[in-house]
Amino acid sequence: MPRPVFVIPAPEQASIAVSGGTARFPVRRIFCVGRNYGEHAREMGHDPDAEPPFFFTKPADAVVDDGARVAFPTQTDELHHEAELVVAIGTGGANIAVEDALGHVWGYAAGNDLTRRDMQAVAKAARRPWDMAKGFDNSAVVGALHRAVDGAVPKGRIRCLVDDDLRQDADLAEMIWPVEWVIAHLSTLVALAPGDLIMTGTPAGVGPIKPGQTCAIEIDGLSPARVTLG
């Protein structure tokens, strides 16, 4: 099949770094899980036992590499950090069984689901979509991706530090829906494909980042995801 001729220059492929080399992982879509830690659900005023997981999305080109400096986003006075474990899908599929789900994972990374919290609150109150509160430019900070080994999911602590001030600190085992369950459930809603990322939710302690501050997400055994807000 001949290569298409586009009427405007084709967009650059969004991608994230891979630990240990210069190769990069292409990003197709970014899915985010809401309220996957009980204490975070409670701090946002919700019952963590009341509902199955729900998902929202960010555009692929919202990804930002570790160490970047980005402009403070417009239209917000309350930009919040959300520390998350990121799952990179290497093998696609639909209606994936829970017991098979981890076989579809290429690797894992630390991530930060930046959120215009004030805009999100207004959207919630008006029963409107959250898109502009979550899917804005440079809103998905992702550290270098580490290849999954023998189907193992990262274990240990997930932390967020803002200018060395510890804001979030939890154990990945506190997830309400573990990684394999999230993948299986999401695959009943859409057919997953290679290049999809899943941000698996944030623990309690979300809070503001101000212009000039540096926010670092750390997960045991993974590379950090750091960003400085201009």
Side-chain angles (χ1 to χ4, degrees):
M1 183 176 178
R3 298 185 64 179
V5 176
F6 297 111
V7 296
I8 61 171
E12 182 179 349
Q13 170 65 58
S15 65
I16 56 176
V18 175
S19 177
T22 58
R24 297 182 67 83
F25 184 88
V27 178
R28 184 171 184 264
R29 297 175 293 188
I30 305 173
F31 299 98
C32 305
V33 184
R35 305 175 199 148
N36 199 13
Y37 290 77
E39 289 306 311
H40 173 60
R42 293 184 186 95
E43 76 178 349
M44 300 303 290
H46 300 280
D47 179 355
D49 301 318
E51 58 187 357
F54 67 93
F55 299 88
F56 56 91
T57 62
K58 292 175 180 278
D61 62 2
V63 292
V64 178
D65 278 338
D66 168 59
R69 185 180 188 98
V70 302
F72 193 85
T74 60
Q75 303 298 317
T76 184
D77 295 316
E78 196 175 354
L79 180 70
H80 276 202
H81 55 76
E82 295 194 6
E84 312 220 358
L85 173 67
V86 180
V87 179
I89 298 297
T91 304
N95 299 308
I96 298 169
V98 172
E99 58 269 24
D100 297 331
L102 297 183
H104 292 256
V105 176
W106 194 94
Y108 298 94
N112 193 346
D113 167 20
L114 295 177
T115 303
R116 290 163 161 159
R117 190 70 71 201
D118 43 2
M119 188 178 290
Q120 185 187 38
V122 170
K124 285 181 177 180
R127 298 182 180 274
R128 293 174 179 168
W130 299 357
D131 297 53
M132 293 299 100
K134 288 286 192 176
F136 53 94
D137 297 341
N138 304 318
S139 62
V141 186
V142 182
L145 188 63
H146 289 243
R147 188 71 187 260
V149 178
D150 298 328
V153 179
K155 296 181 180 180
R157 308 301 293 181
I158 177 170
R159 295 173 290 271
C160 173
L161 298 97
V162 177
D163 287 347
D164 298 322
D165 176 32
L166 184 63
R167 298 283 190 83
Q168 294 178 271
D169 186 11
D171 196 297
L172 292 170
E174 296 173 27
M175 285 187 191
I176 298 170
W177 309 288
V179 169
E180 59 270 32
W181 205 94
V182 168
I183 293 170
H185 186 66
L186 179 57
S187 76
T188 69
L189 303 172
V190 296
L192 292 174
D196 288 340
L197 301 182
I198 305 172
M199 303 186 81
T200 57
T202 194
V206 298
I209 315 170
K210 301 298 184 183
Q213 291 187 314
T214 296
C215 184
I217 308 303
E218 300 176 351
I219 295 177
D220 290 348
L222 299 179
S223 300
R226 296 164 294 201
V227 67
T228 300
L229 279 300

